Amino acid sequence: FPSHDSGIIVFIGIFIFRSATIREIIISLIGLITPLLITIAVYYSSGMDIMALKQAVLFNLFAGSGKYSFSAFQITGLSLILLVMIVSIFHLLALLNNKKIKSRKTFMLLLWSLAAVTGVYIFVPSASEELIWFIAIPLSYIISHYLIFSRNRIVPEIALGTIFIVIIIMQVLNLI
């Protein structure tokens, strides 16, 4: 179940955008537990072993996943994107108090979701390397904010062009 990382983002969103009431928290918990309850009901009604499901869930949550090895060029490309990401986050944090309330809350949710997915990737042994690509969702908003609102036009243009070139080369190298 990948709900442990999605659930973190849901609760962060509740606390950022709304005043967290017990009712909303309980409804969110029920929403996160519902797929598991439906799966248990299907297992029970079809006569399958529920203990095997329990072992599968525990294995998927806490056992280590297979290791993916990044190529040297992928590491180089991801390092470049990491550098642009760090610059973009500092640029966003410097301008965050100047944003409207809704924009500020949205960017805070993006930053928290970036931190939550990164934390899940680092601390949960069953998290796979595909979570790195899931980070691209909030990262695209943060980098685009940097590209649009940066006063210096040359550095963001060079960074964007370099990212495009690196991504194209990574895609071509994956085909070979």
Side-chain angles (χ1 to χ4, degrees), residues 97-124:
N97 288 332
N98 298 337
K99 301 285 180 196
K100 293 182 179 179
I101 295 172
K102 194 70 167 177
S103 297
R104 187 178 328 136
K105 288 183 177 186
T106 302
F107 279 118
M108 288 300 295
L109 180 64
L110 290 172
L111 289 171
W112 275 108
S113 64
L114 182 70
V117 173
T118 304
V120 166
Y121 177 72
I122 292 171
F123 296 115
V124 176

Side-chain angles (χ1 to χ4, degrees), residues 15-56:
F15 290 118
I16 289 177
F17 284 111
R18 306 189 45 95
S19 59
T21 62
I22 297 296
R23 180 177 177 230
E24 289 177 347
I25 293 172
I26 290 174
I27 289 172
S28 298
L29 283 173
I30 290 171
L32 289 172
I33 294 173
T34 300
L36 179 63
L37 295 176
I38 291 172
T39 306
I40 291 171
V42 168
Y43 264 66
Y44 180 76
S45 64
S46 64
M48 298 174 78
D49 187 16
I50 295 178
M51 292 308 290
L53 175 66
K54 177 185 171 189
Q55 291 173 349

Side-chain angles (χ1 to χ4, degrees), residues 75-103:
I75 292 173
T76 306
L78 289 173
S79 299
L80 172 71
I81 293 172
L82 178 69
L83 177 68
V84 174
M85 178 186 79
I86 291 170
V87 170
S88 299
I89 288 174
F90 281 126
H91 181 265
L92 176 64
L93 290 175
L95 297 177
L96 198 58
N97 288 332
N98 298 337
K99 301 285 180 196
K100 293 182 179 179
I101 295 172
K102 194 70 167 177
S103 297

Side-chain angles (χ1 to χ4, degrees), residues 1-11 28-29 31-36 57 61 120:
F1 288 130
S3 64
H4 56 280
D5 54 345
S6 307
I8 295 170
I9 296 171
V10 166
F11 286 108
S28 298
L29 283 173
L32 289 172
I33 294 173
T34 300
L36 179 63
V57 169
L61 285 177
V120 166

Side-chain angles (χ1 to χ4, degrees), residues 139-155:
L139 188 59
S140 63
Y141 286 100
I142 294 168
I143 290 177
S144 66
H145 177 271
Y146 170 67
L147 294 173
I148 292 170
F149 292 107
S150 177
R151 290 194 175 128
N152 184 358
R153 304 309 292 163
I154 296 171
V155 175

